[in-house]
Coordinates of all heavy atoms in Angstrom, one line a residue:
M207 N 9.1 -5.3 -2.5 CA 9.8 -6.6 -2.3 C 8.9 -7.7 -1.9 O 8.1 -7.5 -1.0 CB 11.0 -6.3 -1.3 CG 11.8 -7.6 -1.0 SD 12.9 -8.1 -2.3 CE 14.2 -6.9 -2.1
H208 N 9.0 -8.9 -2.5 CA 8.1 -10.0 -2.1 C 8.7 -10.7 -0.9 O 9.8 -11.2 -0.9 CB 8.0 -10.9 -3.2 CG 7.0 -12.1 -3.0 ND1 6.9 -13.1 -3.8 CD2 6.1 -12.3 -2.0 CE1 6.0 -13.9 -3.3 NE2 5.5 -13.4 -2.2
N209 N 7.9 -10.7 0.2 CA 8.3 -11.5 1.4 C 8.0 -12.9 1.2 O 6.8 -13.3 1.0 CB 7.5 -10.8 2.6 CG 7.7 -11.6 3.9 OD1 8.3 -12.7 3.9 ND2 7.1 -11.1 4.9
L210 N 9.0 -13.8 1.2 CA 8.7 -15.2 0.9 C 7.9 -15.9 1.9 O 7.5 -17.1 1.7 CB 10.1 -15.9 0.7 CG 10.9 -15.4 -0.5 CD1 12.2 -16.1 -0.6 CD2 10.1 -15.6 -1.8
D211 N 7.7 -15.3 3.1 CA 6.9 -16.0 4.1 C 5.4 -15.7 3.9 O 4.5 -16.3 4.5 CB 7.2 -15.4 5.5 CG 8.6 -15.9 6.0 OD1 9.0 -17.0 5.5 OD2 9.2 -15.2 6.7
Q212 N 5.1 -14.8 2.9 CA 3.7 -14.5 2.7 C 3.0 -15.5 1.8 O 3.6 -16.1 0.9 CB 3.6 -13.2 1.9 CG 3.8 -11.9 2.7 CD 3.7 -10.7 1.8 OE1 4.2 -10.6 0.7 NE2 3.0 -9.7 2.3
T213 N 1.7 -15.8 2.1 CA 0.9 -16.6 1.2 C 0.6 -15.8 0.0 O 0.6 -14.5 0.1 CB -0.4 -17.1 1.9 OG1 -1.2 -15.9 2.2 CG2 -0.1 -17.8 3.2
P214 N 0.1 -16.4 -1.1 CA -0.4 -15.6 -2.2 C -1.5 -14.6 -1.8 O -1.5 -13.4 -2.3 CB -0.9 -16.6 -3.2 CG 0.0 -17.8 -2.9 CD 0.1 -17.8 -1.4
V215 N -2.4 -15.0 -1.0 CA -3.5 -14.1 -0.6 C -2.9 -12.9 0.2 O -3.2 -11.7 -0.1 CB -4.5 -14.8 0.3 CG1 -5.5 -13.8 0.9 CG2 -5.2 -15.9 -0.5
E216 N -2.0 -13.2 1.1 CA -1.4 -12.0 1.9 C -0.6 -11.1 0.9 O -0.7 -9.9 1.0 CB -0.4 -12.6 2.9 CG -1.1 -13.3 4.1 CD -0.1 -14.1 5.0 OE1 1.0 -14.4 4.5 OE2 -0.6 -14.4 6.1
F217 N 0.1 -11.7 0.0 CA 0.9 -10.9 -1.0 C -0.1 -10.0 -1.8 O 0.2 -8.8 -1.8 CB 1.6 -11.8 -2.0 CG 2.3 -11.0 -3.1 CD1 3.5 -10.3 -2.9 CD2 1.6 -10.9 -4.3 CE1 4.0 -9.6 -3.9 CE2 2.2 -10.1 -5.4 CZ 3.4 -9.5 -5.2
W218 N -1.1 -10.5 -2.4 CA -2.0 -9.7 -3.2 C -2.8 -8.8 -2.4 O -3.1 -7.6 -2.8 CB -2.9 -10.6 -4.1 CG -2.1 -11.2 -5.2 CD1 -1.7 -12.5 -5.3 CD2 -1.6 -10.5 -6.3 NE1 -1.0 -12.7 -6.5 CE2 -0.9 -11.5 -7.1 CE3 -1.6 -9.2 -6.8 CZ2 -0.2 -11.1 -8.3 CZ3 -0.9 -8.9 -8.0 CH2 -0.3 -9.8 -8.7
E219 N -3.3 -9.1 -1.2 CA -4.0 -8.2 -0.3 C -3.1 -7.0 0.0 O -3.6 -5.8 -0.1 CB -4.5 -8.8 1.0 CG -5.6 -9.9 0.8 CD -6.9 -9.3 0.3 OE1 -7.0 -8.1 -0.1 OE2 -7.9 -10.1 0.3
S220 N -1.9 -7.2 0.4 CA -1.0 -6.1 0.7 C -0.7 -5.3 -0.6 O -0.6 -4.0 -0.5 CB 0.3 -6.5 1.4 OG 1.0 -7.4 0.6
H221 N -0.6 -5.9 -1.7 CA -0.4 -5.2 -3.0 C -1.5 -4.2 -3.2 O -1.3 -3.1 -3.5 CB -0.3 -6.3 -4.1 CG -0.3 -5.7 -5.5 ND1 0.8 -5.2 -6.1 CD2 -1.3 -5.6 -6.4 CE1 0.5 -4.8 -7.3 NE2 -0.7 -5.0 -7.6
Y222 N -2.8 -4.7 -3.1 CA -3.9 -3.8 -3.3 C -4.1 -2.8 -2.2 O -4.6 -1.7 -2.5 CB -5.2 -4.6 -3.6 CG -5.1 -5.2 -5.0 CD1 -4.9 -6.6 -5.2 CD2 -5.1 -4.4 -6.2 CE1 -4.8 -7.2 -6.5 CE2 -5.0 -5.0 -7.4 CZ -4.9 -6.4 -7.6 OH -4.7 -6.9 -8.8
D223 N -3.8 -3.2 -1.0 CA -3.9 -2.2 0.1 C -3.0 -1.0 -0.2 O -3.3 0.2 0.2 CB -3.4 -2.8 1.4 CG -4.5 -3.6 2.1 OD1 -5.7 -3.5 1.6 OD2 -4.2 -4.4 3.0
A224 N -1.9 -1.2 -0.9 CA -1.0 -0.1 -1.2 C -1.3 0.7 -2.5 O -0.6 1.6 -2.8 CB 0.4 -0.7 -1.3
M225 N -2.4 0.3 -3.2 CA -2.7 0.9 -4.4 C -3.9 1.8 -4.3 O -4.8 1.6 -3.5 CB -3.0 -0.2 -5.5 CG -1.9 -1.0 -6.0 SD -2.4 -2.1 -7.3 CE -2.3 -1.1 -8.7
S226 N -4.0 2.7 -5.3 CA -5.3 3.4 -5.4 C -6.4 2.4 -5.8 O -6.2 1.5 -6.5 CB -5.1 4.5 -6.6 OG -6.4 4.8 -7.0
P227 N -7.6 2.6 -5.2 CA -8.7 1.7 -5.6 C -9.2 1.9 -7.0 O -9.9 1.1 -7.5 CB -9.8 2.1 -4.6 CG -9.4 3.5 -4.1 CD -8.0 3.6 -4.2
H228 N -8.8 3.0 -7.7 CA -9.4 3.3 -8.9 C -8.8 2.5 -10.1 O -7.6 2.4 -10.2 CB -9.3 4.8 -9.2 CG -10.1 5.6 -8.2 ND1 -11.5 5.6 -8.2 CD2 -9.7 6.3 -7.2 CE1 -11.9 6.3 -7.1 NE2 -10.8 6.8 -6.5
S229 N -9.6 2.0 -11.0 CA -9.2 1.4 -12.2 C -8.5 2.5 -13.0 O -8.9 3.6 -13.1 CB -10.4 0.9 -13.0 OG -10.0 0.6 -14.3
N230 N -7.4 2.1 -13.8 CA -6.8 3.1 -14.7 C -7.6 3.1 -16.0 O -7.3 3.9 -16.9 CB -5.3 2.8 -14.9 CG -5.1 1.5 -15.6 OD1 -6.0 0.9 -16.2 ND2 -3.8 1.0 -15.5
G231 N -8.5 2.2 -16.2 CA -9.4 2.2 -17.3 C -8.7 1.7 -18.6 O -9.3 1.8 -19.7
I232 N -7.5 1.2 -18.5 CA -6.7 0.8 -19.6 C -6.6 -0.7 -19.7 O -6.1 -1.4 -18.8 CB -5.3 1.4 -19.6 CG1 -5.3 2.9 -19.5 CG2 -4.5 0.9 -20.8 CD1 -4.0 3.5 -19.2
P233 N -7.3 -1.3 -20.7 CA -7.2 -2.8 -20.8 C -5.8 -3.3 -21.3 O -5.1 -2.5 -21.9 CB -8.3 -3.1 -21.9 CG -8.3 -1.9 -22.8 CD -8.0 -0.7 -21.8
G234 N -5.5 -4.5 -21.0 CA -4.3 -5.1 -21.4 C -4.2 -5.1 -23.0 O -5.1 -5.3 -23.7
K235 N -2.9 -4.8 -23.5 CA -2.8 -4.8 -24.9 C -3.1 -6.1 -25.6 O -3.7 -6.1 -26.7 CB -1.3 -4.4 -25.2 CG -1.0 -3.0 -25.0 CD 0.4 -2.6 -25.4 CE 0.7 -1.2 -25.1 NZ 2.1 -0.9 -24.9
M236 N -2.7 -7.2 -25.0 CA -3.0 -8.5 -25.6 C -4.5 -8.8 -25.7 O -5.0 -9.4 -26.6 CB -2.3 -9.6 -24.8 CG -0.8 -9.6 -24.9 SD -0.2 -9.8 -26.6 CE -0.2 -11.6 -26.7
L237 N -5.2 -8.4 -24.6 CA -6.7 -8.5 -24.6 C -7.3 -7.8 -25.8 O -8.1 -8.3 -26.5 CB -7.2 -8.0 -23.3 CG -8.8 -8.1 -23.2 CD1 -9.3 -9.5 -23.1 CD2 -9.3 -7.3 -22.0
V238 N -6.9 -6.6 -25.9 CA -7.4 -5.7 -27.0 C -7.1 -6.3 -28.3 O -8.0 -6.5 -29.2 CB -6.9 -4.3 -26.9 CG1 -7.3 -3.5 -28.1 CG2 -7.3 -3.6 -25.6
R239 N -5.9 -6.8 -28.5 CA -5.5 -7.3 -29.8 C -6.3 -8.6 -30.2 O -6.7 -8.7 -31.3 CB -4.0 -7.7 -29.7 CG -3.4 -8.3 -30.9 CD -1.9 -8.4 -30.8 NE -1.5 -9.3 -31.9 CZ -0.3 -9.9 -31.9 NH1 0.5 -9.8 -30.9 NH2 0.1 -10.6 -32.9
F240 N -6.6 -9.4 -29.2 CA -7.2 -10.7 -29.5 C -8.8 -10.6 -29.5 O -9.5 -11.4 -30.1 CB -6.7 -11.8 -28.7 CG -5.3 -12.3 -29.0 CD1 -4.3 -11.9 -28.3 CD2 -5.1 -13.0 -30.2 CE1 -3.0 -12.3 -28.6 CE2 -3.8 -13.3 -30.6 CZ -2.7 -13.0 -29.8
V241 N -9.3 -9.7 -28.7 CA -10.7 -9.7 -28.5 C -11.5 -8.6 -29.3 O -12.6 -8.7 -29.6 CB -11.0 -9.5 -27.0 CG1 -12.5 -9.2 -26.7 CG2 -10.5 -10.7 -26.2
D242 N -10.7 -7.5 -29.6 CA -11.4 -6.4 -30.2 C -12.3 -6.7 -31.4 O -13.3 -6.1 -31.6 CB -10.4 -5.3 -30.6 CG -10.9 -3.9 -30.4 OD1 -11.9 -3.8 -29.7 OD2 -10.3 -3.0 -30.9
S243 N -11.9 -7.7 -32.2 CA -12.6 -8.0 -33.4 C -13.7 -9.1 -33.2 O -14.4 -9.4 -34.1 CB -11.7 -8.5 -34.5 OG -11.0 -9.6 -34.1
L244 N -13.8 -9.6 -32.0 CA -14.8 -10.7 -31.7 C -16.2 -10.1 -31.4 O -16.2 -9.0 -30.8 CB -14.3 -11.5 -30.6 CG -13.0 -12.3 -30.7 CD1 -12.6 -13.1 -29.5 CD2 -13.0 -13.2 -32.0
A245 N -17.2 -10.8 -31.7 CA -18.5 -10.4 -31.3 C -18.7 -10.7 -29.8 O -18.1 -11.7 -29.3 CB -19.6 -11.3 -32.0
P246 N -19.3 -9.8 -29.0 CA -19.4 -10.0 -27.6 C -20.1 -11.3 -27.2 O -21.1 -11.7 -27.9 CB -20.3 -8.8 -27.2 CG -20.1 -7.8 -28.2 CD -19.9 -8.6 -29.5
A247 N -19.6 -12.0 -26.2 CA -20.2 -13.2 -25.7 C -20.0 -13.2 -24.2 O -20.0 -12.2 -23.6 CB -19.6 -14.4 -26.4
S248 N -19.7 -14.4 -23.6 CA -19.4 -14.5 -22.2 C -17.9 -14.6 -22.0 O -17.2 -15.2 -22.8 CB -20.1 -15.8 -21.6 OG -21.5 -15.7 -21.8
A249 N -17.5 -14.0 -20.9 CA -16.1 -14.1 -20.6 C -15.9 -14.3 -19.1 O -16.7 -13.8 -18.2 CB -15.4 -12.8 -20.9
L250 N -14.9 -15.2 -18.7 CA -14.6 -15.4 -17.3 C -13.1 -14.9 -17.2 O -12.2 -15.3 -17.8 CB -14.6 -16.9 -17.0 CG -14.0 -17.3 -15.7 CD1 -14.8 -16.7 -14.5 CD2 -14.0 -18.9 -15.6
E251 N -13.0 -13.9 -16.3 CA -11.6 -13.4 -16.1 C -11.1 -13.9 -14.8 O -11.7 -13.6 -13.7 CB -11.6 -11.8 -16.1 CG -10.2 -11.4 -15.9 CD -9.9 -9.9 -15.9 OE1 -10.9 -9.1 -15.8 OE2 -8.7 -9.5 -16.0
L252 N -10.0 -14.6 -14.9 CA -9.4 -15.1 -13.7 C -8.3 -14.2 -13.2 O -7.3 -14.1 -13.9 CB -8.8 -16.5 -14.0 CG -9.8 -17.5 -14.6 CD1 -9.1 -18.8 -14.9 CD2 -11.0 -17.8 -13.6
G253 N -8.5 -13.6 -12.1 CA -7.5 -12.6 -11.6 C -7.8 -11.2 -12.2 O -6.9 -10.6 -12.9
C254 N -8.9 -10.7 -11.8 CA -9.4 -9.4 -12.4 C -8.8 -8.2 -11.8 O -8.9 -7.1 -12.4 CB -10.9 -9.3 -12.3 SG -11.5 -9.2 -10.6
G255 N -8.1 -8.3 -10.7 CA -7.5 -7.1 -10.1 C -8.6 -6.0 -9.9 O -9.7 -6.3 -9.4
R256 N -8.3 -4.8 -10.2 CA -9.2 -3.7 -10.0 C -10.3 -3.6 -11.1 O -11.1 -2.7 -11.1 CB -8.5 -2.4 -9.9 CG -7.6 -2.3 -8.7 CD -6.8 -1.0 -8.7 NE -5.9 -0.9 -9.9 CZ -5.1 0.1 -10.1 NH1 -5.1 1.2 -9.3 NH2 -4.4 0.2 -11.2
G257 N -10.2 -4.5 -12.0 CA -11.3 -4.6 -13.0 C -11.1 -4.0 -14.4 O -12.0 -3.8 -15.2
D258 N -9.8 -3.5 -14.6 CA -9.6 -2.8 -15.9 C -10.1 -3.6 -17.1 O -10.8 -3.1 -17.9 CB -8.1 -2.5 -16.0 CG -7.5 -1.8 -14.9 OD1 -8.3 -1.1 -14.1 OD2 -6.3 -1.8 -14.7
D259 N -9.7 -4.9 -17.2 CA -10.0 -5.7 -18.4 C -11.5 -6.0 -18.4 O -12.2 -6.0 -19.4 CB -9.2 -7.0 -18.4 CG -7.7 -6.7 -18.6 OD1 -7.4 -5.6 -19.1 OD2 -6.9 -7.6 -18.3
A260 N -12.0 -6.4 -17.2 CA -13.4 -6.8 -17.1 C -14.4 -5.7 -17.5 O -15.4 -5.9 -18.2 CB -13.8 -7.3 -15.7
I261 N -14.0 -4.5 -17.0 CA -14.9 -3.3 -17.3 C -14.8 -3.0 -18.8 O -15.8 -2.6 -19.4 CB -14.5 -2.1 -16.4 CG1 -14.9 -2.4 -15.0 CG2 -15.1 -0.8 -16.9 CD1 -14.3 -1.5 -13.9
W262 N -13.6 -3.0 -19.4 CA -13.5 -2.8 -20.8 C -14.3 -3.7 -21.6 O -15.1 -3.3 -22.5 CB -12.0 -2.9 -21.2 CG -11.7 -2.6 -22.6 CD1 -11.7 -1.4 -23.3 CD2 -11.6 -3.6 -23.7 NE1 -11.4 -1.6 -24.6 CE2 -11.4 -2.9 -24.9 CE3 -11.5 -5.0 -23.7 CZ2 -11.1 -3.6 -26.1 CZ3 -11.3 -5.7 -24.9 CH2 -11.1 -5.0 -26.1
L263 N -14.3 -5.0 -21.2 CA -15.1 -6.0 -21.9 C -16.6 -5.8 -21.8 O -17.4 -5.8 -22.7 CB -14.8 -7.4 -21.4 CG -13.5 -8.1 -21.8 CD1 -13.1 -9.3 -20.9 CD2 -13.5 -8.5 -23.3
A264 N -17.0 -5.5 -20.5 CA -18.4 -5.2 -20.2 C -18.9 -4.0 -21.0 O -20.0 -4.0 -21.6 CB -18.6 -5.0 -18.7
K265 N -18.1 -3.0 -21.2 CA -18.5 -1.8 -21.9 C -18.7 -2.1 -23.4 O -19.4 -1.5 -24.1 CB -17.5 -0.7 -21.8 CG -17.6 0.1 -20.5 CD -16.6 1.1 -20.4 CE -16.8 2.1 -19.3 NZ -15.7 3.1 -19.2
K266 N -18.0 -3.2 -23.9 CA -18.1 -3.6 -25.3 C -19.3 -4.6 -25.5 O -19.5 -5.1 -26.5 CB -16.8 -4.2 -25.7 CG -15.7 -3.2 -25.9 CD -14.4 -3.9 -26.4 CE -14.5 -4.3 -27.9 NZ -14.6 -3.2 -28.8
G267 N -20.0 -4.9 -24.4 CA -21.1 -5.7 -24.5 C -20.9 -7.2 -24.0 O -21.9 -8.0 -24.1
W268 N -19.7 -7.5 -23.5 CA -19.5 -8.8 -23.1 C -20.2 -9.0 -21.7 O -20.3 -8.1 -20.9 CB -18.0 -9.1 -22.9 CG -17.3 -9.2 -24.2 CD1 -17.1 -8.2 -25.1 CD2 -16.8 -10.4 -24.8 NE1 -16.4 -8.7 -26.2 CE2 -16.2 -10.1 -26.0 CE3 -16.7 -11.7 -24.3 CZ2 -15.6 -11.0 -26.8 CZ3 -16.0 -12.7 -25.1 CH2 -15.5 -12.3 -26.4
Q269 N -20.6 -10.3 -21.4 CA -21.2 -10.6 -20.1 C -20.0 -11.2 -19.3 O -19.5 -12.3 -19.7 CB -22.3 -11.7 -20.3 CG -23.0 -12.0 -19.0 CD -23.9 -10.9 -18.5 OE1 -24.6 -10.3 -19.2 NE2 -23.7 -10.6 -17.2
V270 N -19.5 -10.5 -18.4 CA -18.3 -10.8 -17.7 C -18.5 -11.4 -16.3 O -19.2 -10.7 -15.5 CB -17.3 -9.6 -17.6 CG1 -16.0 -10.0 -17.1 CG2 -17.2 -9.0 -19.0
T271 N -17.8 -12.5 -16.0 CA -17.7 -12.9 -14.6 C -16.2 -12.8 -14.3 O -15.4 -13.3 -14.9 CB -18.1 -14.4 -14.4 OG1 -19.5 -14.5 -14.8 CG2 -18.0 -14.9 -13.0
A272 N -16.0 -12.0 -13.2 CA -14.6 -11.7 -12.8 C -14.3 -12.2 -11.5 O -15.1 -12.0 -10.5 CB -14.4 -10.2 -12.9
V273 N -13.2 -12.9 -11.3 CA -12.9 -13.5 -10.0 C -11.5 -13.1 -9.6 O -10.6 -12.7 -10.5 CB -13.0 -15.0 -10.0 CG1 -14.4 -15.5 -10.3 CG2 -12.0 -15.7 -10.9
D274 N -11.2 -13.1 -8.4 CA -9.8 -12.8 -7.9 C -9.6 -13.4 -6.5 O -10.6 -13.6 -5.8 CB -9.6 -11.2 -7.8 CG -8.2 -10.9 -7.9 OD1 -7.4 -11.1 -6.9 OD2 -7.7 -10.5 -8.9
L275 N -8.4 -13.7 -6.3 CA -7.9 -14.2 -5.0 C -8.1 -13.2 -3.9 O -8.3 -13.5 -2.7 CB -6.4 -14.5 -5.1 CG -5.7 -15.3 -4.1 CD1 -6.1 -16.7 -4.2 CD2 -4.2 -15.2 -4.5
S276 N -8.0 -11.9 -4.2 CA -8.0 -10.8 -3.2 C -9.4 -10.2 -3.1 O -9.9 -9.7 -4.0 CB -7.0 -9.7 -3.7 OG -7.2 -8.5 -3.0
Y277 N -9.8 -10.2 -1.8 CA -11.1 -9.5 -1.5 C -11.0 -8.0 -1.8 O -11.9 -7.4 -2.2 CB -11.6 -9.8 -0.1 CG -12.1 -11.2 0.1 CD1 -11.3 -12.2 0.7 CD2 -13.4 -11.5 -0.3 CE1 -11.8 -13.5 0.8 CE2 -13.9 -12.8 -0.1 CZ -13.1 -13.8 0.4 OH -13.6 -15.0 0.6
R278 N -9.8 -7.5 -1.5 CA -9.7 -6.0 -1.7 C -9.8 -5.7 -3.1 O -10.4 -4.7 -3.5 CB -8.3 -5.6 -1.1 CG -8.0 -4.1 -1.3 CD -8.7 -3.2 -0.4 NE -8.2 -3.4 1.0 CZ -9.0 -3.2 2.1 NH1 -10.2 -2.7 2.0 NH2 -8.5 -3.4 3.2
A279 N -9.1 -6.5 -4.0 CA -9.2 -6.3 -5.4 C -10.7 -6.3 -5.9 O -11.1 -5.5 -6.7 CB -8.4 -7.3 -6.2
L280 N -11.4 -7.3 -5.4 CA -12.8 -7.4 -5.8 C -13.7 -6.2 -5.3 O -14.6 -5.8 -6.0 CB -13.4 -8.7 -5.2 CG -12.9 -10.0 -5.9 CD1 -13.3 -11.2 -5.2 CD2 -13.3 -10.0 -7.4
E281 N -13.4 -5.7 -4.1 CA -14.1 -4.5 -3.6 C -13.8 -3.4 -4.6 O -14.7 -2.7 -5.0 CB -13.5 -4.1 -2.3 CG -14.1 -4.8 -1.1 CD -13.4 -4.4 0.2 OE1 -12.8 -3.3 0.2 OE2 -13.5 -5.2 1.1
Y282 N -12.5 -3.2 -5.0 CA -12.2 -2.1 -5.9 C -12.8 -2.4 -7.3 O -13.4 -1.4 -7.9 CB -10.7 -2.1 -6.1 CG -9.9 -1.7 -4.9 CD1 -8.5 -1.7 -4.9 CD2 -10.5 -1.1 -3.7 CE1 -7.7 -1.3 -3.8 CE2 -9.7 -0.7 -2.7 CZ -8.3 -0.8 -2.7 OH -7.6 -0.4 -1.6
A283 N -12.8 -3.6 -7.8 CA -13.4 -3.9 -9.1 C -14.9 -3.6 -9.1 O -15.4 -3.1 -10.0 CB -13.1 -5.4 -9.5
A284 N -15.6 -4.0 -8.0 CA -17.0 -3.8 -7.9 C -17.3 -2.3 -8.0 O -18.2 -1.9 -8.7 CB -17.6 -4.5 -6.7
A285 N -16.6 -1.6 -7.2 CA -16.8 -0.1 -7.1 C -16.5 0.5 -8.5 O -17.2 1.4 -9.0 CB -15.9 0.5 -6.0
N286 N -15.4 0.1 -9.1 CA -15.1 0.6 -10.4 C -16.1 0.3 -11.5 O -16.4 1.1 -12.4 CB -13.7 0.1 -10.9 CG -12.6 0.8 -10.1 OD1 -12.7 2.0 -9.7 ND2 -11.5 0.1 -9.8
A287 N -16.7 -1.0 -11.4 CA -17.7 -1.4 -12.3 C -19.0 -0.5 -12.1 O -19.6 -0.1 -13.1 CB -18.0 -2.8 -12.1
Q288 N -19.3 -0.2 -10.9 CA -20.4 0.6 -10.6 C -20.2 2.0 -11.2 O -21.1 2.6 -11.8 CB -20.6 0.8 -9.0 CG -21.3 -0.3 -8.4 CD -22.8 -0.5 -8.7 OE1 -23.4 0.5 -9.2 NE2 -23.4 -1.6 -8.5
R289 N -19.1 2.6 -10.9 CA -18.7 3.9 -11.4 C -18.8 4.0 -12.9 O -19.2 5.0 -13.5 CB -17.3 4.3 -10.9 CG -17.3 5.3 -9.7 CD -15.9 5.9 -9.5 NE -14.9 4.8 -9.2 CZ -14.7 4.4 -8.0 NH1 -15.4 4.9 -7.0 NH2 -13.8 3.5 -7.7
S290 N -18.4 2.9 -13.6 CA -18.3 2.9 -15.0 C -19.7 2.7 -15.7 O -19.8 2.8 -16.9 CB -17.4 1.9 -15.5 OG -18.0 0.6 -15.4
G291 N -20.7 2.3 -14.8 CA -22.0 2.0 -15.4 C -22.1 0.6 -16.0 O -23.1 0.3 -16.6
S292 N -21.1 -0.2 -15.8 CA -21.1 -1.5 -16.4 C -21.4 -2.7 -15.4 O -21.2 -3.8 -15.8 CB -19.7 -1.8 -17.1 OG -18.7 -1.7 -16.2
A293 N -21.7 -2.3 -14.2 CA -21.9 -3.4 -13.2 C -23.0 -4.4 -13.5 O -22.8 -5.6 -13.2 CB -22.2 -2.7 -11.8
S294 N -24.0 -4.0 -14.3 CA -25.1 -4.9 -14.6 C -24.6 -6.0 -15.6 O -25.2 -7.0 -15.8 CB -26.3 -4.2 -15.1 OG -26.0 -3.6 -16.3
R295 N -23.5 -5.7 -16.3 CA -22.9 -6.7 -17.2 C -21.8 -7.4 -16.7 O -21.0 -8.1 -17.4 CB -22.5 -6.0 -18.5 CG -23.7 -5.3 -19.2 CD -23.3 -5.0 -20.7 NE -23.1 -6.3 -21.4 CZ -24.1 -7.0 -21.9 NH1 -25.4 -6.6 -21.8 NH2 -23.8 -8.1 -22.6
S296 N -21.5 -7.3 -15.4 CA -20.4 -8.1 -14.8 C -20.9 -8.6 -13.4 O -21.8 -8.0 -12.8 CB -19.2 -7.2 -14.6 OG -19.5 -6.1 -13.8
S297 N -20.3 -9.7 -13.0 CA -20.6 -10.2 -11.6 C -19.3 -10.6 -11.0 O -18.3 -11.0 -11.7 CB -21.6 -11.3 -11.7 OG -21.1 -12.4 -12.5
L298 N -19.2 -10.5 -9.7 CA -17.9 -10.6 -9.1 C -18.0 -11.6 -7.9 O -18.1 -11.3 -6.8 CB -17.5 -9.3 -8.5 CG -17.2 -8.2 -9.6 CD1 -17.3 -6.8 -9.0 CD2 -15.8 -8.4 -10.2
P299 N -17.9 -12.9 -8.2 CA -17.7 -13.9 -7.2 C -16.3 -13.7 -6.6 O -15.4 -13.0 -7.2 CB -17.8 -15.2 -7.8 CG -17.6 -15.0 -9.3 CD -17.9 -13.5 -9.5
N300 N -16.0 -14.3 -5.5 CA -14.7 -14.0 -4.8 C -13.5 -14.8 -5.3 O -12.6 -14.3 -6.1 CB -14.8 -14.0 -3.3 CG -15.4 -15.2 -2.8 OD1 -15.5 -16.2 -3.5 ND2 -15.7 -15.2 -1.5
T301 N -13.4 -16.0 -5.0 CA -12.1 -16.7 -5.3 C -12.4 -17.9 -6.2 O -13.5 -18.4 -6.3 CB -11.4 -17.1 -4.1 OG1 -12.2 -18.0 -3.4 CG2 -11.0 -16.0 -3.2
I302 N -11.3 -18.4 -6.8 CA -11.3 -19.7 -7.5 C -10.6 -20.7 -6.6 O -9.8 -20.4 -5.8 CB -10.7 -19.6 -8.9 CG1 -9.3 -19.1 -8.8 CG2 -11.6 -18.8 -9.8 CD1 -8.6 -19.2 -10.2
Ligands
SAM294 C1 -1.1 -8.9 -12.5 S1 -2.7 -8.9 -11.7 C2 -3.8 -8.7 -13.1 C3 -4.9 -7.8 -12.8 C4 -5.9 -7.5 -14.0 N1 -6.1 -8.6 -14.9 C5 -5.4 -6.3 -14.8 O1 -5.0 -6.4 -15.9 O2 -5.6 -5.2 -14.2 C6 -3.0 -10.6 -11.3 C7 -4.2 -10.9 -10.4 O3 -4.4 -12.2 -10.3 C8 -4.9 -12.5 -8.9 N2 -4.6 -13.9 -8.6 C9 -3.4 -14.4 -8.4 N3 -3.5 -15.8 -8.1 C10 -4.9 -16.0 -8.2 C11 -5.7 -17.2 -8.0 N4 -5.1 -18.4 -7.8 N5 -7.0 -17.1 -8.2 C12 -7.6 -15.9 -8.5 N6 -6.9 -14.8 -8.7 C13 -5.6 -14.8 -8.5 C14 -4.2 -11.4 -8.1 O4 -4.9 -11.1 -6.9 C15 -4.1 -10.2 -9.1 O5 -5.3 -9.4 -8.9

């Protein structure tokens, strides 16, 4: 349940505190549909969460910059990128 007194940062930090840190490894269907046929280039992901989409892109050869409002999400995304072996193709600044 969303507490209306929470700021967006508080909402998303508590959301990720309650989640497993691990990426499910499944990119969004719309991303796959529109990007799968494109040649790899640069991508900026706004709101990367645990990194599912960013890591999928990086594994396909994209140079990804992923940002998120939540520091917890970025910690998880960075660890997931490391685990996947794609960290050198992604960078994780914190917020926009
Ligand atoms: C529905 S999640 C999407 C996560 C990811 N793209 C995925 O598919 O797994 C939305 C994300 O946007 C982030 N977010 C919300 N508002 C933001 C903002 N103003 N700037 C950066 N990130 C934001 C949230 O912290 C959350 O991680």
Side-chain angles (χ1 to χ4, degrees):
M207 177 75 78
H208 185 189
N209 172 356
L210 294 176
D211 292 332
Q212 282 180 315
T213 65
V215 172
E216 289 167 342
F217 171 82
W218 286 108
E219 291 294 10
S220 60
H221 172 81
Y222 287 110
D223 279 344
M225 286 182 90
S226 159
H228 298 288
S229 164
N230 64 18
I232 302 170
K235 284 184 183 156
M236 293 298 274
L237 176 71
V238 173
R239 181 171 165 198
F240 287 106
V241 169
D242 215 14
S243 60
L244 300 178
S248 301
L250 171 63
E251 185 180 11
L252 307 177
C254 65
R256 295 177 300 177
D258 303 339
D259 293 340
I261 291 167
W262 180 80
L263 285 166
K265 281 181 166 175
K266 289 183 70 69
W268 289 70
Q269 184 71 48
V270 184
T271 299
V273 301
D274 203 284
L275 192 70
S276 160
Y277 285 99
R278 178 74 69 205
L280 289 169
E281 279 175 20
Y282 291 171
N286 287 324
Q288 281 291 344
R289 258 192 297 276
S290 76
S292 59
S294 66
R295 296 198 66 81
S296 60
S297 59
L298 294 158
N300 51 14
T301 60
I302 55 173

